Amino acid sequence: MKKIFITGSCGFIFSNFVRKLAYLIGKDNKQYPYNLVSLDNFSINNLNAMYWNKNHTFYIGDILDEHILKTIFEVEKPDIVVHGAAQTFVDSSIKDPKLFVTNNILGTQNIINACVKSNVEKLIYISTDEIYGQLLSEKDLSWKETDAANPRNPYSASKYSAELLVKSAGITYGLNYNIIRPSNNYGPRQFSEKLIPKAIKCVLNNEKIPIYGQGSQIRDWTHVFDNCQAILDIIQKGNSNEIYNVSANQEFSNLEVINKICSIMGNRHDLISFIEDPRGKCHDFRYSTDSSKLKELGWKPNFKFNEGLKETINWYINNQWFIK
C-alpha cells in the first residue's frame, strides 16, 4: 500500500480528486493500492468540500507551516505527494500579489523541502496552462509542453516560479517529479468566484451576470472529472520529470459559455451585464494546449462540454447550499 499525500484537498479540483480516488480504492484495492492523507487550511471558507472516508486521513493546516508539514511527513511517511494547494483567482492576485508569492512560491518550496528530506518517490505539482501567457488569434497553434512560458499576471507568474523550483529540485537533489498544466476546469464543487458557478448562482438568485469587457476571451474547458483521471494516470504512468498538459480541446469564449448557461437555465439572457474589465491589459485573450503527450499514457477526455455543463448546472441546482 502506497500513501498519497494531497495538499489543497478541500479546493475545487482536489475535493473531487479525493472523492474519486477514495471510491476507486474501495472498489478495487488491487488496482488502486493507496491510502490517502491530505491537508487544507480552509482559507476560502471551503469547509463544505471536506470529505471523510476510511481510506482518507485529513489534517487542517497550512503549507506555510513548516512544523505541521514536518509532523505529517514524519508520522504518515507519504510515498507520493500531490501538491495542489494554491491561491488561484487572478483578480485577487492583481489586488494582492504578495499573497500569491507567499502561498504559491514559498509554500511550494516548503513542500519541496519536505519531499527531499523524506525521500518521497514522486512529487506531482499542479500548475496551470496560464503560465504560457496568451494566444493572440483563434488560428494560433495550441501550446505544447516545450513552448516558452510567458506569464502575464501575478497568479500565473507565481505558478511558473513554483515550477522552476520543482525543476531545480530535480536537478539539485534528484527529486522525481511531474508537472501538470491543466486547462480551465468546470464541474461540481467549484467556488462561486469562478465564471461558471458565478453565472449559475446569479441565475438562481435572479441577479445580473457580470461579464468582463465583451466576453471575447477564449478558454479551453475540461471537466474536473477528466482532469482528476489525468492526475491519476500521471501518478501511475507518468514518465519521470516530465510536464503534461491536460485539456479536452473544447474552446469557447466567456460570452458563449454564459449564453449556454442562460439557455439551459430558462433562457435568462436578460441577466447578462457587460462591465469594465478589472484585469485590463493582463486579461489573456486565448488559452489552448496540446495534450498529445498525456494521451500517449492512455488518457482521453470523456465529457463533452454541453453535456458536462448541463450536469454541472443540475448539480448546483440540487446543492444550492454549496454556493450560499
Side-chain angles (χ1 to χ4, degrees), residues 234-274:
I234 292 167
I235 288 173
Q236 295 185 313
K237 298 179 284 188
N239 296 314
S240 294
N241 301 354
E242 288 284 352
I243 300 171
Y244 292 95
N245 291 331
V246 182
S247 63
N249 300 121
Q250 300 180 99
E251 297 183 31
F252 301 95
S253 71
N254 289 346
L255 182 56
E256 286 178 307
V257 172
I258 298 302
N259 276 320
K260 288 176 183 290
I261 293 170
C262 290
S263 294
I264 294 169
M265 299 185 72
N267 293 318
R268 294 308 312 272
H269 304 276
D270 58 301
L271 295 176
I272 292 176
S273 175
F274 296 96

mmCIF file of all heavy atoms in Angstrom, residues 234-274:
data_model
loop_
_atom_site.group_PDB
_atom_site.id
_atom_site.type_symbol
_atom_site.label_atom_id
_atom_site.label_comp_id
_atom_site.label_asym_id
_atom_site.label_seq_id
_atom_site.Cartn_x
_atom_site.Cartn_y
_atom_site.Cartn_z
ATOM 1 N N ILE A 234 -1.178 10.105 -14.456
ATOM 2 C CA ILE A 234 0.199 10.584 -14.345
ATOM 3 C C ILE A 234 0.866 10.031 -13.092
ATOM 4 O O ILE A 234 2.054 9.689 -13.110
ATOM 5 C CB ILE A 234 0.218 12.129 -14.378
ATOM 6 C CG1 ILE A 234 -0.186 12.609 -15.774
ATOM 7 C CG2 ILE A 234 1.599 12.669 -14.007
ATOM 8 C CD1 ILE A 234 -0.515 14.089 -15.853
ATOM 9 N N ILE A 235 0.113 9.895 -12.003
ATOM 10 C CA ILE A 235 0.657 9.251 -10.803
ATOM 11 C C ILE A 235 1.110 7.838 -11.127
ATOM 12 O O ILE A 235 2.199 7.401 -10.733
ATOM 13 C CB ILE A 235 -0.398 9.229 -9.674
ATOM 14 C CG1 ILE A 235 -0.616 10.633 -9.100
ATOM 15 C CG2 ILE A 235 0.017 8.264 -8.557
ATOM 16 C CD1 ILE A 235 -1.751 10.717 -8.101
ATOM 17 N N GLN A 236 0.288 7.112 -11.861
ATOM 18 C CA GLN A 236 0.560 5.698 -12.104
ATOM 19 C C GLN A 236 1.499 5.440 -13.278
ATOM 20 O O GLN A 236 2.275 4.483 -13.254
ATOM 21 C CB GLN A 236 -0.759 4.955 -12.336
ATOM 22 C CG GLN A 236 -1.678 4.938 -11.121
ATOM 23 C CD GLN A 236 -2.923 4.096 -11.326
ATOM 24 O OE1 GLN A 236 -3.597 4.201 -12.354
ATOM 25 N NE2 GLN A 236 -3.228 3.260 -10.358
ATOM 26 N N LYS A 237 1.446 6.307 -14.294
ATOM 27 C CA LYS A 237 2.182 6.013 -15.532
ATOM 28 C C LYS A 237 3.054 7.145 -16.046
ATOM 29 O O LYS A 237 3.732 6.979 -17.073
ATOM 30 C CB LYS A 237 1.177 5.617 -16.633
ATOM 31 C CG LYS A 237 0.386 4.352 -16.311
ATOM 32 C CD LYS A 237 -0.606 4.014 -17.415
ATOM 33 C CE LYS A 237 -1.825 4.896 -17.384
ATOM 34 N NZ LYS A 237 -2.891 4.470 -18.337
ATOM 35 N N GLY A 238 3.060 8.279 -15.376
ATOM 36 C CA GLY A 238 3.813 9.424 -15.865
ATOM 37 C C GLY A 238 5.312 9.173 -15.875
ATOM 38 O O GLY A 238 5.861 8.569 -14.950
ATOM 39 N N ASN A 239 5.971 9.594 -16.924
ATOM 40 C CA ASN A 239 7.417 9.441 -17.032
ATOM 41 C C ASN A 239 8.120 10.453 -16.128
ATOM 42 O O ASN A 239 7.659 11.584 -15.956
ATOM 43 C CB ASN A 239 7.862 9.636 -18.483
ATOM 44 C CG ASN A 239 7.304 8.562 -19.397
ATOM 45 O OD1 ASN A 239 7.345 7.376 -19.079
ATOM 46 N ND2 ASN A 239 6.766 8.967 -20.532
ATOM 47 N N SER A 240 9.235 10.051 -15.570
ATOM 48 C CA SER A 240 9.939 10.880 -14.595
ATOM 49 C C SER A 240 10.300 12.244 -15.172
ATOM 50 O O SER A 240 10.759 12.357 -16.312
ATOM 51 C CB SER A 240 11.216 10.177 -14.121
ATOM 52 O OG SER A 240 10.899 9.008 -13.395
ATOM 53 N N ASN A 241 10.059 13.277 -14.356
ATOM 54 C CA ASN A 241 10.480 14.650 -14.642
ATOM 55 C C ASN A 241 9.901 15.191 -15.948
ATOM 56 O O ASN A 241 10.528 16.012 -16.618
ATOM 57 C CB ASN A 241 12.007 14.743 -14.654
ATOM 58 C CG ASN A 241 12.624 14.330 -13.326
ATOM 59 O OD1 ASN A 241 11.921 14.072 -12.365
ATOM 60 N ND2 ASN A 241 13.933 14.268 -13.281
ATOM 61 N N GLU A 242 8.686 14.739 -16.283
ATOM 62 C CA GLU A 242 8.001 15.234 -17.477
ATOM 63 C C GLU A 242 6.896 16.219 -17.085
ATOM 64 O O GLU A 242 6.335 16.165 -15.987
ATOM 65 C CB GLU A 242 7.373 14.072 -18.259
ATOM 66 C CG GLU A 242 8.370 13.181 -18.975
ATOM 67 C CD GLU A 242 8.925 13.826 -20.238
ATOM 68 O OE1 GLU A 242 8.421 14.902 -20.638
ATOM 69 O OE2 GLU A 242 9.862 13.263 -20.822
ATOM 70 N N ILE A 243 6.577 17.099 -18.018
ATOM 71 C CA ILE A 243 5.470 18.033 -17.887
ATOM 72 C C ILE A 243 4.332 17.557 -18.784
ATOM 73 O O ILE A 243 4.586 17.098 -19.901
ATOM 74 C CB ILE A 243 5.900 19.456 -18.298
ATOM 75 C CG1 ILE A 243 7.054 19.941 -17.417
ATOM 76 C CG2 ILE A 243 4.728 20.432 -18.231
ATOM 77 C CD1 ILE A 243 7.681 21.231 -17.895
ATOM 78 N N TYR A 244 3.101 17.653 -18.289
ATOM 79 C CA TYR A 244 1.945 17.208 -19.065
ATOM 80 C C TYR A 244 0.872 18.291 -19.105
ATOM 81 O O TYR A 244 0.424 18.775 -18.061
ATOM 82 C CB TYR A 244 1.341 15.936 -18.464
ATOM 83 C CG TYR A 244 2.223 14.718 -18.584
ATOM 84 C CD1 TYR A 244 3.067 14.351 -17.532
ATOM 85 C CD2 TYR A 244 2.219 13.935 -19.736
ATOM 86 C CE1 TYR A 244 3.874 13.224 -17.634
ATOM 87 C CE2 TYR A 244 3.031 12.807 -19.842
ATOM 88 C CZ TYR A 244 3.856 12.467 -18.790
ATOM 89 O OH TYR A 244 4.663 11.354 -18.891
ATOM 90 N N ASN A 245 0.464 18.674 -20.316
ATOM 91 C CA ASN A 245 -0.736 19.492 -20.481
ATOM 92 C C ASN A 245 -1.969 18.616 -20.313
ATOM 93 O O ASN A 245 -1.962 17.433 -20.699
ATOM 94 C CB ASN A 245 -0.789 20.109 -21.881
ATOM 95 C CG ASN A 245 0.274 21.166 -22.115
ATOM 96 O OD1 ASN A 245 0.713 21.831 -21.181
ATOM 97 N ND2 ASN A 245 0.676 21.333 -23.365
ATOM 98 N N VAL A 246 -3.026 19.202 -19.765
ATOM 99 C CA VAL A 246 -4.312 18.498 -19.650
ATOM 100 C C VAL A 246 -5.396 19.392 -20.244
ATOM 101 O O VAL A 246 -5.684 20.466 -19.702
ATOM 102 C CB VAL A 246 -4.677 18.173 -18.189
ATOM 103 C CG1 VAL A 246 -5.995 17.396 -18.140
ATOM 104 C CG2 VAL A 246 -3.565 17.395 -17.506
ATOM 105 N N SER A 247 -5.963 18.972 -21.361
ATOM 106 C CA SER A 247 -7.026 19.768 -21.985
ATOM 107 C C SER A 247 -7.919 18.874 -22.826
ATOM 108 O O SER A 247 -7.461 17.880 -23.400
ATOM 109 C CB SER A 247 -6.434 20.866 -22.869
ATOM 110 O OG SER A 247 -5.698 20.315 -23.935
ATOM 111 N N ALA A 248 -9.193 19.240 -22.887
ATOM 112 C CA ALA A 248 -10.164 18.494 -23.682
ATOM 113 C C ALA A 248 -10.320 19.086 -25.072
ATOM 114 O O ALA A 248 -11.097 18.572 -25.877
ATOM 115 C CB ALA A 248 -11.512 18.472 -22.974
ATOM 116 N N ASN A 249 -9.601 20.201 -25.343
ATOM 117 C CA ASN A 249 -9.685 20.878 -26.642
ATOM 118 C C ASN A 249 -11.120 21.251 -27.001
ATOM 119 O O ASN A 249 -11.608 20.969 -28.084
ATOM 120 C CB ASN A 249 -9.060 20.016 -27.744
ATOM 121 C CG ASN A 249 -7.590 19.717 -27.481
ATOM 122 O OD1 ASN A 249 -7.192 18.564 -27.387
ATOM 123 N ND2 ASN A 249 -6.787 20.759 -27.340
ATOM 124 N N GLN A 250 -11.779 21.889 -26.028
ATOM 125 C CA GLN A 250 -13.138 22.392 -26.219
ATOM 126 C C GLN A 250 -13.116 23.878 -25.875
ATOM 127 O O GLN A 250 -13.261 24.263 -24.716
ATOM 128 C CB GLN A 250 -14.127 21.626 -25.337
ATOM 129 C CG GLN A 250 -14.140 20.130 -25.649
ATOM 130 C CD GLN A 250 -15.110 19.348 -24.790
ATOM 131 O OE1 GLN A 250 -16.222 19.030 -25.198
ATOM 132 N NE2 GLN A 250 -14.695 19.023 -23.584
ATOM 133 N N GLU A 251 -12.927 24.702 -26.906
ATOM 134 C CA GLU A 251 -12.702 26.129 -26.706
ATOM 135 C C GLU A 251 -13.976 26.942 -26.953
ATOM 136 O O GLU A 251 -14.642 26.763 -27.972
ATOM 137 C CB GLU A 251 -11.588 26.621 -27.632
ATOM 138 C CG GLU A 251 -10.239 25.973 -27.344
ATOM 139 C CD GLU A 251 -9.148 26.535 -28.228
ATOM 140 O OE1 GLU A 251 -9.215 27.724 -28.609
ATOM 141 O OE2 GLU A 251 -8.201 25.774 -28.561
ATOM 142 N N PHE A 252 -14.252 27.823 -25.991
ATOM 143 C CA PHE A 252 -15.403 28.721 -26.101
ATOM 144 C C PHE A 252 -15.037 30.073 -25.497
ATOM 145 O O PHE A 252 -14.246 30.143 -24.552
ATOM 146 C CB PHE A 252 -16.621 28.159 -25.354
ATOM 147 C CG PHE A 252 -17.065 26.807 -25.832
ATOM 148 C CD1 PHE A 252 -16.629 25.652 -25.197
ATOM 149 C CD2 PHE A 252 -17.914 26.687 -26.931
ATOM 150 C CE1 PHE A 252 -17.035 24.399 -25.642
ATOM 151 C CE2 PHE A 252 -18.319 25.439 -27.378
ATOM 152 C CZ PHE A 252 -17.874 24.293 -26.738
ATOM 153 N N SER A 253 -15.621 31.113 -26.029
ATOM 154 C CA SER A 253 -15.444 32.424 -25.405
ATOM 155 C C SER A 253 -16.262 32.473 -24.117
ATOM 156 O O SER A 253 -17.218 31.703 -23.933
ATOM 157 C CB SER A 253 -15.891 33.534 -26.349
ATOM 158 O OG SER A 253 -17.310 33.548 -26.482
ATOM 159 N N ASN A 254 -15.898 33.398 -23.243
ATOM 160 C CA ASN A 254 -16.649 33.552 -21.997
ATOM 161 C C ASN A 254 -18.120 33.868 -22.274
ATOM 162 O O ASN A 254 -19.015 33.366 -21.589
ATOM 163 C CB ASN A 254 -16.030 34.665 -21.148
ATOM 164 C CG ASN A 254 -14.691 34.258 -20.556
ATOM 165 O OD1 ASN A 254 -14.335 33.079 -20.549
ATOM 166 N ND2 ASN A 254 -13.952 35.231 -20.059
ATOM 167 N N LEU A 255 -18.371 34.684 -23.302
ATOM 168 C CA LEU A 255 -19.756 35.024 -23.627
ATOM 169 C C LEU A 255 -20.513 33.792 -24.124
ATOM 170 O O LEU A 255 -21.696 33.610 -23.782
ATOM 171 C CB LEU A 255 -19.797 36.125 -24.680
ATOM 172 C CG LEU A 255 -21.190 36.622 -25.085
ATOM 173 C CD1 LEU A 255 -21.973 37.112 -23.875
ATOM 174 C CD2 LEU A 255 -21.085 37.724 -26.140
ATOM 175 N N GLU A 256 -19.864 32.948 -24.915
ATOM 176 C CA GLU A 256 -20.517 31.720 -25.372
ATOM 177 C C GLU A 256 -20.889 30.831 -24.188
ATOM 178 O O GLU A 256 -21.987 30.245 -24.155
ATOM 179 C CB GLU A 256 -19.582 30.964 -26.320
ATOM 180 C CG GLU A 256 -19.450 31.566 -27.696
ATOM 181 C CD GLU A 256 -18.478 30.794 -28.562
ATOM 182 O OE1 GLU A 256 -17.326 30.574 -28.136
ATOM 183 O OE2 GLU A 256 -18.870 30.397 -29.679
ATOM 184 N N VAL A 257 -19.990 30.727 -23.222
ATOM 185 C CA VAL A 257 -20.257 29.903 -22.038
ATOM 186 C C VAL A 257 -21.461 30.455 -21.273
ATOM 187 O O VAL A 257 -22.373 29.702 -20.886
ATOM 188 C CB VAL A 257 -19.020 29.828 -21.125
ATOM 189 C CG1 VAL A 257 -19.362 29.138 -19.802
ATOM 190 C CG2 VAL A 257 -17.887 29.082 -21.832
ATOM 191 N N ILE A 258 -21.479 31.768 -21.065
ATOM 192 C CA ILE A 258 -22.592 32.380 -20.326
ATOM 193 C C ILE A 258 -23.906 32.203 -21.077
ATOM 194 O O ILE A 258 -24.957 31.917 -20.482
ATOM 195 C CB ILE A 258 -22.314 33.870 -20.070
ATOM 196 C CG1 ILE A 258 -21.065 34.051 -19.203
ATOM 197 C CG2 ILE A 258 -23.520 34.532 -19.416
ATOM 198 C CD1 ILE A 258 -21.132 33.358 -17.875
ATOM 199 N N ASN A 259 -23.877 32.360 -22.384
ATOM 200 C CA ASN A 259 -25.092 32.160 -23.176
ATOM 201 C C ASN A 259 -25.606 30.731 -23.063
ATOM 202 O O ASN A 259 -26.819 30.498 -22.999
ATOM 203 C CB ASN A 259 -24.841 32.520 -24.639
ATOM 204 C CG ASN A 259 -24.999 34.010 -24.909
ATOM 205 O OD1 ASN A 259 -25.900 34.653 -24.368
ATOM 206 N ND2 ASN A 259 -24.136 34.558 -25.749
ATOM 207 N N LYS A 260 -24.698 29.755 -23.042
ATOM 208 C CA LYS A 260 -25.110 28.361 -22.876
ATOM 209 C C LYS A 260 -25.788 28.161 -21.526
ATOM 210 O O LYS A 260 -26.828 27.486 -21.430
ATOM 211 C CB LYS A 260 -23.893 27.438 -23.001
ATOM 212 C CG LYS A 260 -23.336 27.289 -24.411
ATOM 213 C CD LYS A 260 -22.067 26.429 -24.406
ATOM 214 C CE LYS A 260 -21.441 26.326 -25.779
ATOM 215 N NZ LYS A 260 -22.240 25.512 -26.717
ATOM 216 N N ILE A 261 -25.214 28.745 -20.481
ATOM 217 C CA ILE A 261 -25.799 28.617 -19.146
ATOM 218 C C ILE A 261 -27.190 29.252 -19.111
ATOM 219 O O ILE A 261 -28.140 28.661 -18.584
ATOM 220 C CB ILE A 261 -24.874 29.265 -18.095
ATOM 221 C CG1 ILE A 261 -23.571 28.457 -17.972
ATOM 222 C CG2 ILE A 261 -25.567 29.354 -16.735
ATOM 223 C CD1 ILE A 261 -22.503 29.138 -17.142
ATOM 224 N N CYS A 262 -27.292 30.442 -19.682
ATOM 225 C CA CYS A 262 -28.596 31.129 -19.696
ATOM 226 C C CYS A 262 -29.642 30.326 -20.459
ATOM 227 O O CYS A 262 -30.813 30.258 -20.041
ATOM 228 C CB CYS A 262 -28.444 32.512 -20.315
ATOM 229 S SG CYS A 262 -27.509 33.675 -19.295
ATOM 230 N N SER A 263 -29.242 29.716 -21.569
ATOM 231 C CA SER A 263 -30.187 28.910 -22.357
ATOM 232 C C SER A 263 -30.662 27.700 -21.574
ATOM 233 O O SER A 263 -31.863 27.383 -21.547
ATOM 234 C CB SER A 263 -29.526 28.463 -23.658
ATOM 235 O OG SER A 263 -29.239 29.563 -24.500
ATOM 236 N N ILE A 264 -29.746 27.015 -20.908
ATOM 237 C CA ILE A 264 -30.090 25.809 -20.147
ATOM 238 C C ILE A 264 -30.989 26.156 -18.964
ATOM 239 O O ILE A 264 -31.904 25.405 -18.621
ATOM 240 C CB ILE A 264 -28.804 25.096 -19.666
ATOM 241 C CG1 ILE A 264 -28.010 24.562 -20.864
ATOM 242 C CG2 ILE A 264 -29.142 23.951 -18.705
ATOM 243 C CD1 ILE A 264 -26.614 24.082 -20.514
ATOM 244 N N MET A 265 -30.770 27.334 -18.361
ATOM 245 C CA MET A 265 -31.489 27.705 -17.138
ATOM 246 C C MET A 265 -32.691 28.602 -17.419
ATOM 247 O O MET A 265 -33.043 29.463 -16.617
ATOM 248 C CB MET A 265 -30.523 28.372 -16.154
ATOM 249 C CG MET A 265 -29.373 27.479 -15.733
ATOM 250 S SD MET A 265 -28.302 28.216 -14.457
ATOM 251 C CE MET A 265 -29.392 28.136 -13.007
ATOM 252 N N GLY A 266 -33.354 28.387 -18.537
ATOM 253 C CA GLY A 266 -34.613 29.075 -18.791
ATOM 254 C C GLY A 266 -34.499 30.322 -19.627
ATOM 255 O O GLY A 266 -35.311 31.247 -19.463
ATOM 256 N N ASN A 267 -33.493 30.346 -20.512
ATOM 257 C CA ASN A 267 -33.325 31.492 -21.419
ATOM 258 C C ASN A 267 -33.227 32.822 -20.669
ATOM 259 O O ASN A 267 -33.886 33.805 -21.026
ATOM 260 C CB ASN A 267 -34.473 31.541 -22.440
ATOM 261 C CG ASN A 267 -34.430 30.364 -23.396
ATOM 262 O OD1 ASN A 267 -33.352 29.984 -23.862
ATOM 263 N ND2 ASN A 267 -35.580 29.776 -23.677
ATOM 264 N N ARG A 268 -32.352 32.862 -19.653
ATOM 265 C CA ARG A 268 -32.199 34.070 -18.840
ATOM 266 C C ARG A 268 -31.097 34.978 -19.377
ATOM 267 O O ARG A 268 -30.288 35.532 -18.640
ATOM 268 C CB ARG A 268 -31.931 33.696 -17.386
ATOM 269 C CG ARG A 268 -33.087 33.005 -16.694
ATOM 270 C CD ARG A 268 -34.412 33.764 -16.824
ATOM 271 N NE ARG A 268 -34.336 35.188 -16.524
ATOM 272 C CZ ARG A 268 -34.492 35.697 -15.300
ATOM 273 N NH1 ARG A 268 -34.749 34.903 -14.278
ATOM 274 N NH2 ARG A 268 -34.416 36.994 -15.107
ATOM 275 N N HIS A 269 -31.098 35.204 -20.671
ATOM 276 C CA HIS A 269 -30.101 36.080 -21.291
ATOM 277 C C HIS A 269 -30.282 37.534 -20.857
ATOM 278 O O HIS A 269 -29.355 38.339 -21.009
ATOM 279 C CB HIS A 269 -30.197 35.972 -22.817
ATOM 280 C CG HIS A 269 -30.046 34.571 -23.325
ATOM 281 N ND1 HIS A 269 -28.827 33.987 -23.535
ATOM 282 C CD2 HIS A 269 -30.975 33.622 -23.632
ATOM 283 C CE1 HIS A 269 -28.998 32.746 -23.979
ATOM 284 N NE2 HIS A 269 -30.297 32.507 -24.033
ATOM 285 N N ASP A 270 -31.466 37.861 -20.333
ATOM 286 C CA ASP A 270 -31.714 39.225 -19.872
ATOM 287 C C ASP A 270 -30.847 39.605 -18.679
ATOM 288 O O ASP A 270 -30.714 40.794 -18.347
ATOM 289 C CB ASP A 270 -33.191 39.388 -19.492
ATOM 290 C CG ASP A 270 -33.616 38.403 -18.404
ATOM 291 O OD1 ASP A 270 -33.498 37.170 -18.642
ATOM 292 O OD2 ASP A 270 -34.053 38.848 -17.337
ATOM 293 N N LEU A 271 -30.233 38.595 -18.032
ATOM 294 C CA LEU A 271 -29.408 38.862 -16.854
ATOM 295 C C LEU A 271 -27.972 39.233 -17.213
ATOM 296 O O LEU A 271 -27.207 39.660 -16.349
ATOM 297 C CB LEU A 271 -29.403 37.635 -15.925
ATOM 298 C CG LEU A 271 -30.741 37.259 -15.286
ATOM 299 C CD1 LEU A 271 -30.596 35.979 -14.478
ATOM 300 C CD2 LEU A 271 -31.253 38.398 -14.400
ATOM 301 N N ILE A 272 -27.600 39.064 -18.478
ATOM 302 C CA ILE A 272 -26.218 39.342 -18.886
ATOM 303 C C ILE A 272 -25.933 40.831 -18.768
ATOM 304 O O ILE A 272 -26.701 41.671 -19.239
ATOM 305 C CB ILE A 272 -25.970 38.852 -20.326
ATOM 306 C CG1 ILE A 272 -26.015 37.320 -20.374
ATOM 307 C CG2 ILE A 272 -24.632 39.354 -20.847
ATOM 308 C CD1 ILE A 272 -25.882 36.743 -21.768
ATOM 309 N N SER A 273 -24.794 41.146 -18.135
ATOM 310 C CA SER A 273 -24.403 42.537 -17.930
ATOM 311 C C SER A 273 -22.909 42.693 -18.234
ATOM 312 O O SER A 273 -22.074 42.026 -17.611
ATOM 313 C CB SER A 273 -24.689 42.962 -16.486
ATOM 314 O OG SER A 273 -24.211 44.259 -16.232
ATOM 315 N N PHE A 274 -22.575 43.542 -19.185
ATOM 316 C CA PHE A 274 -21.177 43.770 -19.542
ATOM 317 C C PHE A 274 -20.602 44.875 -18.654
ATOM 318 O O PHE A 274 -21.193 45.949 -18.525
ATOM 319 C CB PHE A 274 -21.063 44.168 -21.016
ATOM 320 C CG PHE A 274 -21.510 43.081 -21.960
ATOM 321 C CD1 PHE A 274 -22.809 43.086 -22.469
ATOM 322 C CD2 PHE A 274 -20.649 42.064 -22.323
ATOM 323 C CE1 PHE A 274 -23.233 42.082 -23.333
ATOM 324 C CE2 PHE A 274 -21.064 41.057 -23.186
ATOM 325 C CZ PHE A 274 -22.358 41.070 -23.688
#
